[in-house]
Amino acid sequence: MGQVIDLHVHSTASDGSDAPDVVARLAAAAGCSSLALTDHDTLGGLGAARAAADELGIRLVPGCEISCRWNPGSLHMLVYFVDDDSAGPLRDELARLRNDRIERNRRLLDRLVSLGIRITAEEVADVAGSEVVGRPHFAAVLVGKGYAADPQDAFDRLLGRGRPGYVAKARVDPGDAARIARASGGVAVLAHPLSLGIPPPDLELAIAELAAAGIAGVEALYGRYTPQERADLSDLAGRHSLAVTGGSDYHGTFKPDLHVGSGTGDLEVPDSALAALEDRRP
Ligand code: AMP
Ligand code: ZN
Ligand code: FE
Ligand code: FE
């Protein structure tokens, strides 16, 4: 029996509420031997996380998470093993995505203001505290100013897909994400596969297509999934020779039910998951 790890954690570099060094400390405190920092659209938190991880004697796996084009649900791709000082195509793609976010957020704010909601870009930037500003930050401001009861209410009524405040952001074709990851020396993993929004029989087909497109693994061991869902998704990954990986998707106060290393309490990702990913590095 190996040690537990966590391969999906967010920090203040994107839409988590804890700084990168703090999440490294939380991982060590939770007994994790390895931690992957996987902020949305940025590698910017990796330096600080690695410095803290080194001090704590745990391994920092470089990562990030990117949103891909998909219907009807959403498809998030985790990319591992690409460092913040790399000059590969991933770096360029992330810069493009961050750039688009700035314009998207401007339009999102305009949309909210046109709905009679009086919040400002400064208020959102203050909550975010870093260059990658996302809808969870908007949700926090909406709650803070009494426009929503809680973050979920903000998404359900205003920010979620199909709601009046929704503005789409740039997305990446899933196959391109896998190619970009590999061309940058990394691997791509399908995050929280049930977000794809398709029933299990069709999920088989979707995973087969993603495997053919070059993904390396499936995040079967996800913080919010039941033991049965995790087992079924692990079997599914195995049928397509994909690594079974896992993580908490910790976001601090932005997703208060999730904890580093243990998800909603019962998550245990074995360190063999990381070894299986390493085996698939290009
Ligand atoms: P953004 O990258 O700015 O589009 O924000 C995406 C993030 O918002 C996701 O990672 C989720 O954490 C959160 N999110 C998106 N849709 C919902 C929803 N319907 N309910 C709650 N949170 C959501
Ligand atoms: Zn997030
Ligand atoms: Fe995600
Ligand atoms: Fe995430």
Side-chain angles (χ1 to χ4, degrees):
M1 191 60 200
Q3 287 176 290
V4 299
I5 61 175
D6 191 331
L7 296 178
H8 191 163
V9 167
H10 296 268
S11 76
T12 47
S14 66
D15 58 2
S17 66
D18 289 322
D21 64 305
V22 174
V23 296
R25 264 172 250 293
L26 291 171
C32 294
S33 57
S34 297
L35 158 78
L37 185 67
T38 54
D39 277 305
H40 302 277
D41 300 350
T42 185
L43 305 171
L46 294 177
R50 182 177 297 99
D54 285 352
E55 223 170 79
L56 295 157
I58 66 173
R59 175 174 171 195
L60 189 277
V61 177
C64 64
E65 183 174 18
I66 54 187
S67 301
C68 293
R69 237 167 268 137
W70 191 263
N71 265 306
S74 61
L75 193 161
H76 289 182
M77 206 73 90
L78 294 159
V79 177
Y80 296 107
F81 307 128
V82 183
D83 258 303
D84 43 341
D85 58 1
S86 85
L90 180 66
R91 184 200 176 102
D92 298 338
E93 188 64 13
L94 295 178
R96 183 183 80 85
L97 293 172
R98 287 196 301 272
N99 216 36
D100 173 82
R101 230 174 227 285
I102 295 169
E103 183 53 32
R104 190 280 299 248
N105 289 340
R106 226 174 258 146
R107 291 173 54 208
L108 204 170
L109 182 68
D110 287 350
R111 195 66 80 79
L112 294 176
V113 168
S114 77
L115 292 167
I117 291 169
R118 300 163 68 92
I119 67 171
T120 66
E122 288 68 35
E123 288 168 330
V124 180
D126 280 353
V127 167
S130 79
E131 84 178 300
V132 180
V133 176
R135 282 180 287 162
H137 302 125
F138 282 89
V141 173
L142 290 169
V143 173
K145 297 194 79 178
Y147 289 110
D150 53 49
Q152 194 56 54
D153 180 44
F155 274 97
D156 290 347
R157 288 191 301 108
L158 293 165
L159 301 172
R161 204 192 279 192
R163 308 315 300 160
Y166 180 75
V167 179
K169 67 183 176 197
R171 284 171 195 275
V172 184
D173 174 79
D176 286 343
R179 269 188 292 282
I180 288 167
R182 296 183 67 82
S184 303
V187 297
V189 167
L190 175 65
H192 38 72
L194 298 183
S195 299
L196 294 182
I198 43 186
D202 305 327
L203 200 52
E204 188 85 45
L205 187 63
I207 299 292
E209 283 173 5
L210 290 168
I215 69 165
V218 171
E219 191 182 49
L221 309 176
Y222 184 65
R224 278 182 176 156
Y225 294 169
T226 66
Q228 188 61 53
E229 288 168 336
R230 293 175 198 164
D232 290 347
L233 290 166
S234 297
D235 289 346
L236 176 54
R239 287 198 290 279
H240 298 279
S241 303
L242 295 168
V244 170
T245 78
S248 63
D249 209 3
Y250 179 74
H251 280 73
T253 56
F254 291 103
K255 294 187 182 178
D257 59 317
L258 298 173
H259 304 278
V260 177
S262 60
T264 53
D266 68 341
L267 186 71
E268 277 189 41
V269 182
D271 55 8
S272 56
L274 181 52
L277 268 190
E278 300 235 63
D279 285 346
R280 290 165 172 81
R281 283 174 83 153

